[in-house]
Amino acid sequence: MSGHSKWANIKHKKGAADAKRGKIFTRLIKEITVAARMGGGDPDGNPRLRSAIVTARAENMPKDNITRAIKKGTGELEGEVYDEILYEGYGPGGVAVLVECMTDNRNRTVADIRHYFAKSGGNLGESGCVAYMFDKKGMMLVDKTTISEEALMELAIEAGADDVVEEDDYFQIVTAPEDFDAVRDELEEGGVSFAEASLTMVPQTTIEVTEEKPARALLKLLDNIEGHDDVQNVHANFDIDDDLMEQLS
């Protein structure tokens, strides 16, 4: 999970420091809207919506924005209709990449994503070409300043989590997808606050990228994809040495 964890932390740090806060809110609003459309506007009965709201609150999204997004999803307010699409491909060094999108224009989105892959020396593949290399997991990020590792480990394991991993400024709590909601709810009741909580795709194995040129091209590809307005999440099965990662980031 090393490469995935590093990229997840890079993304979170970039998001927290990103001056373009509106772009972060746009992505969260899309997720809230689609979650409400698919499962209803009550977060207590809609786990996906509840997760989206947790993340939105962690990013300090105003309550009014969350409420409007829910109402757009339930049809109480007029709003765009988004399609969920998963793109799969290979980046520099043969790294497998999954791209989760929400878009109101499939042709525009696929053209842009294909361009990013081609520009990096990779290629956008067919559906199913790399998804089998990943497992769905529940993932929660907890700021290390808010709780000790020992206390969190005890709470998380008792709640049914699979593991707690220390990564830079955060603890990552990992769960089976079917246990995610129960673990999150129990930890929240125990006073744990999350910087992020969502289902994600974790690679079964990772590819070591040891040379600067392909590593730089890979991170540029992931950064370009992440910056696209229609992209919600990016997953990749790479591992880069800590020293090289520090040099590149």
Side-chain angles (χ1 to χ4, degrees), residues 33-89:
T33 300
V34 170
R37 186 186 75 199
M38 296 180 66
D42 180 7
D44 290 334
N46 185 342
R48 179 175 175 178
L49 177 60
R50 190 160 67 251
S51 293
I53 292 173
V54 167
T55 303
R57 286 174 176 166
E59 293 290 352
N60 297 315
M61 179 180 285
K63 185 177 180 180
D64 288 348
N65 294 42
I66 296 173
T67 300
R68 283 196 299 271
I70 293 172
K71 289 184 176 180
K72 286 180 179 180
T74 58
E76 297 173 69
L77 293 176
E78 186 176 348
E80 298 83 358
V81 176
Y82 299 108
D83 292 326
E84 292 186 275
I85 311 172
L86 179 67
Y87 295 113
E88 306 176 40

Side-chain angles (χ1 to χ4, degrees), residues 77-132:
L77 293 176
E78 186 176 348
E80 298 83 358
V81 176
Y82 299 108
D83 292 326
E84 292 186 275
I85 311 172
L86 179 67
Y87 295 113
E88 306 176 40
Y90 290 94
V95 170
V97 182
L98 292 177
V99 185
E100 298 178 30
C101 296
M102 288 186 187
T103 179
D104 57 359
N105 187 327
R106 285 172 174 258
N107 292 334
R108 176 196 66 219
T109 304
V110 70
D112 290 345
I113 300 301
R114 181 178 288 111
H115 171 71
Y116 293 146
F117 273 99
K119 187 177 180 181
S120 74
N123 64 282
L124 184 64
E126 298 295 326
S127 177
C129 69
V130 302
Y132 70 92

Side-chain angles (χ1 to χ4, degrees), residues 44 74 82 125-126 131 155 188 190 220 223 229 233 248:
D44 290 334
T74 58
Y82 299 108
E126 298 295 326
L155 287 170
E188 284 184 329
K220 181 64 175 176
D223 196 43
D229 287 343
N233 294 293
L248 294 172

Side-chain angles (χ1 to χ4, degrees), residues 14 33-34 38 69 115 118 154 160 171 175 181 195 198 204 209 225:
K14 283 165 62 66
T33 300
V34 170
M38 296 180 66
H115 171 71
E154 182 177 349
F171 296 119
T175 76
D181 295 320
S198 63
Q204 297 167 0
V209 183
I225 294 174

Side-chain angles (χ1 to χ4, degrees), residues 8 21 41 45 51 76 101 111 120 124-125 127 134 145 152 165-167 170 193 242:
R21 180 65 63 177
S51 293
E76 297 173 69
C101 296
S120 74
L124 184 64
S127 177
F134 295 78
T145 63
L152 181 61
V165 182
E166 183 178 1
E167 287 284 352
Y170 299 93
S193 298
D242 287 340

